[in-house]
Amino acid sequence: MTSLPLSLGPLAAEGFIVRRSGLHWLCEDGHWCRPNEVIGYCNLSLEKLSGQRSGNFPMADELEFQVAFAPSIGGRLHIAGGYSPGGYLNAFGLHVWNADDVVGHLDPIADAEAGAGRLRLLLLAGRRMSGLADVDYGLLPGWHSRSRAWWGDQAGPQSTLLCIGICDAAGIVRGNEIPFVEAFEACPDPVQLVYVPDHPVVPCAPILLEQLNRTPAQRQAMAADLTSGLANSRTPATADDWLFAGALLSSLERSPMLESYDVLTPTGLRRMGPPDAVLLSLSAEMQSVLRHKKLGYSLQMLRHRQASAGPAVRAWLSSAFEPVKRSIDDIRRDYRRLIEALATKTGARVLILNRMSTSGYEDILSYAPFDAPMRETLEHVAAKEMNLMLHDLAEECDFSIVDVDAIAAVLGGTEHLPDGIHHSGAMQTVLRSEIIQALNSQGSARRIAG
Amino acid sequence: MLHDLRLPKINPNMSSAVVECAYAAPGTLLKVGDRLFDLSVDLSSGFSQYCPPISYFRVVVREKLWLRKTLVAPGDNCDVGAMLALFSTEQDEPIEASPARAIRITTAGIAHHQGLWSASVQ
């Protein structure tokens, strides 16, 4: 069988030179590759062509910009020498991107079609939470307020899925190994995946809705209030306070559901509009939120996130906010408003991961010992009521339920969902597949899988 | 007759739990359905990570017994199998003998609440 030369393939940006760093390999020479397995990557940069007028620079706020590459077919890899000088030369964009660069060879497992030696390119971009959060090694290293990836095939992605859930959604989309790589190895579709973390704000429906509608004046008032809260705190603000406050403002000031994206493709740079689909997590809908006493905005954070705030932020949270309980009907109303607002503003479809609602770790023979209302005491009663609420809501508005509950029951919750929120790799794979299926299907609210 | 309560292996991946609440005082006659302890189980074993996999459980007694001795307090980290409390069927029964069996309990996953020991230290 003939050894296939592995070439980088084209990337283009009108008015710019695409440059790359030296290559980083994620596997050894002689590695047996799976089709679409990411085997290496390099950093990318765009340089304005001489004679071009200065102006807006595409992706200027995404200081991490990389391309990973994968063979389209399986086979044994032979890495070519001369492409990895190491050191800072593997970080800086010293080389002009050349589609014909042959970076290795592949002994294919089966007969290969013409063109099979061209590597598939997975573009990755990360917007740092702070310009200070630079880590110059690895794929999408550092701390990002938004990260995204797309296959650079042909004209590039045709749609965007934005993930703004908590851990259960993050693991499915961003993965737990190398960012996005697990998802894209399984997903051949021309889709862009975008991940916005819960640092430090929990993306629950009322907060997302307020982000959608927030005015510049409201943002300024929130920033001024937080600044004043820290500056006038009886407890001197520490470095942890200011870092936390910066991340908090960054999160509250933006609506990831309204953002657009530049995508680099083999045929040029393209601008994509706001996400076509948004993945949310029912687990993010807590039974209470914090409401700012003066400005009226909502806030919620996971406990382990709050623990990373300094004393002045914690004091500010205690004094400036009050907890507001949310009934099931409140949560249903918040979801409905969010789904309707999104439909009006961007037309994005909403997918919601429901909750695991049973546990093999309990042996309740009678509910008499537990205080009513049960949903406020027993975790799995709460999960069942929330799941039922989603089904009722699906009668009222258009969205899709990704049935984590049913999938966990089929796979086995003890093995694949031991704490009810963090999925195993196998379960993430099934859920990814369900989500891709949902994105590709048409129609209105429905339950997926189960 | 003496009975004991040892930390059960609620989750097959757990090795320990933190006592979050101890509801009953020694000398109390417990009836079916009375709360004994709230526990938290951290499957990351306390390793500070991305999002700690912590679950909360309530242990409820399923038989009428006297609570004679509590060996743990809120905040204590206990290994699976560690004795949490000692019970007797009679109020004044000596407690030096070996327990005849474990007490019968119900274990239920509960929501986080402000009465938990960990809520007061965060």
Side-chain angles (χ1 to χ4, degrees), chain A residues 168-169 172 279-282 351-355 402 404 431:
Chain A
D168 52 353
I172 298 168
L279 178 65
L280 304 174
S281 166
L282 183 59
L351 296 87
I352 303 175
L353 293 163
N354 72 4
R355 287 175 56 178
V402 184
V404 171
L431 287 164

Side-chain angles (χ1 to χ4, degrees), chain A residues 365-378:
Chain A
L365 301 179
S366 163
Y367 285 94
F370 303 103
D371 298 331
M374 291 289 164
R375 68 176 286 262
E376 292 183 11
T377 305
L378 295 174

Side-chain angles (χ1 to χ4, degrees), chain A residues 167 304 362-363 371 377 418-419, chain B residues 11 35 50-51 53 107 109-111:
Chain A
C167 320
H304 67 282
E362 53 186 22
D363 52 2
D371 298 331
T377 305
D419 67 344
Chain B
N11 181 314
R35 301 169 187 181
Y50 175 59
C51 174
T107 309
I110 57 166

